[in-house]
Amino acid sequence: MNIECDFVWPESDNLDQYKAIFVPALYAAPDELLEKLKQYTANGGTLVATFKTAFANENVKVSHEMQPHILSNCFGISYQQFTFPKNTGLSGSIINGIAKGADEEAEAKVFMELLMPQEAEVLASYDHYNWKEYAAITKNHYRKGTAIYIGCMTDDNTLKAVLTEALNSAEVEIPEYSWPVIIRKGTNDLGKCVRYILNYSAEEQNVVYHGADGTELFSEESVQDGDTVTVLPWNVKIIEEV
């Protein structure tokens, strides 16, 4: 989705500089880190975590308290059971927002937690005769922030919809282009902004350039804001702003 990100260390003490933090399957973590993530959310951040997060401490000792450990109030949920999905679809507001004609059916895969919402809004539930009373994906407003919990492995379209919901909550601008077009930028030794337009596909991609006027470094051609840049298969264009 072309959202630039950092990898954050558990020891990092500057979490509040980030609009959103994504926590994928943080199975084992010390209480101090979980408290730090909880405080980050309370201060106004957007926290997104997946199943198997906050299940055990740093010594892999499973918590005897309500799951997810320490973060239950933050996410506004709890659970006592988990299982492996079989013929388990997903339904709910986040699923209804997915464009019709998507290649994949919305479904739970690999692993699922049977979430019991407390204060949280249910974005998706399990479409299954035995699990329909449980939530699959939830969203909670915790003090000044927002906490989204993904209780199962999902199909790609559902995951993208949830990430879009989270990024909108965090007021992160979502770029026009997404994979296979990847756009990155940085600053070179001359102090100039450099934009990289990468094509991760076997097809030619036409991308509208947005930025200050510059020069494409391979061809040495000038590029202006609004120009269409053609990137050959498995290739890259590098534009240095003037």
Side-chain angles (χ1 to χ4, degrees), residues 71-78 116-121 138 140 147:
L71 297 176
S72 179
N73 290 339
C74 178
F75 288 108
I77 58 159
S78 65
M116 297 180 291
Q118 296 161 351
E119 299 85 10
E121 171 192 358
T138 60
N140 189 46

Side-chain angles (χ1 to χ4, degrees), residues 22-224:
F22 295 86
V23 184
L26 185 63
Y27 182 85
D31 288 359
E32 293 81 4
L33 174 57
L34 302 180
E35 291 285 0
K36 189 183 298 185
L37 292 172
K38 186 176 181 179
Q39 188 61 49
Y40 161 80
T41 310
N43 292 345
T46 295
L47 181 67
V48 182
T50 75
F51 56 93
K52 293 194 177 185
T53 288
F55 198 79
N57 67 12
E58 67 273 29
N59 299 314
V60 202
K61 180 181 178 181
V62 174
S63 172
H64 64 277
E65 299 177 352
M66 186 178 296
Q67 296 287 3
H69 179 53
I70 292 179
L71 297 176
S72 179
N73 290 339
C74 178
F75 288 108
I77 58 159
S78 65
Y79 69 90
Q80 299 174 348
Q81 303 175 80
F82 50 83
T83 187
F84 301 104
K86 184 176 182 180
N87 299 323
T88 304
L90 296 172
S91 61
S93 60
I94 199 76
I95 307 301
N96 296 338
I98 297 174
K100 300 299 181 182
D103 295 336
E104 294 181 290
E105 293 292 330
E107 62 176 336
K109 303 178 178 181
V110 182
F111 188 86
M112 57 187 276
E113 296 168 347
L114 306 181
L115 306 181
M116 297 180 291
Q118 296 161 351
E119 299 85 10
E121 171 192 358
V122 177
L123 299 181
S125 299
Y126 295 115
D127 190 5
H128 186 279
Y129 71 93
N130 205 35
W131 315 125
K132 59 185 178 181
E133 297 180 1
Y134 297 99
I137 305 169
T138 60
K139 178 181 179 181
N140 189 46
H141 296 289
Y142 180 70
R143 299 187 186 177
K144 296 180 181 180
T146 301
I148 293 177
Y149 192 87
I150 306 171
C152 63
M153 178 75 80
T154 73
D155 57 281
D156 289 347
N157 292 319
T158 299
L159 181 59
K160 184 175 181 179
V162 175
L163 297 183
T164 300
E165 176 81 15
L167 293 168
N168 287 335
S169 293
E171 298 183 348
V172 174
E173 182 179 356
I174 300 176
E176 175 184 358
Y177 294 98
S178 59
W179 189 90
V181 174
I182 298 298
I183 300 174
R184 290 289 182 265
K185 67 178 179 179
T187 303
N188 65 14
D189 290 342
L190 301 177
K192 296 182 178 181
C193 180
V194 180
R195 299 178 189 273
Y196 305 85
I197 306 175
L198 303 103
N199 178 7
Y200 284 92
S201 76
E203 298 179 356
E204 185 178 278
Q205 301 288 335
N206 294 313
V207 180
V208 177
Y209 171 73
H210 296 293
D213 295 351
T215 302
E216 201 290 306
L217 298 182
F218 290 117
S219 65
E220 298 185 350
E221 296 178 351
S222 62
V223 181
Q224 297 179 326

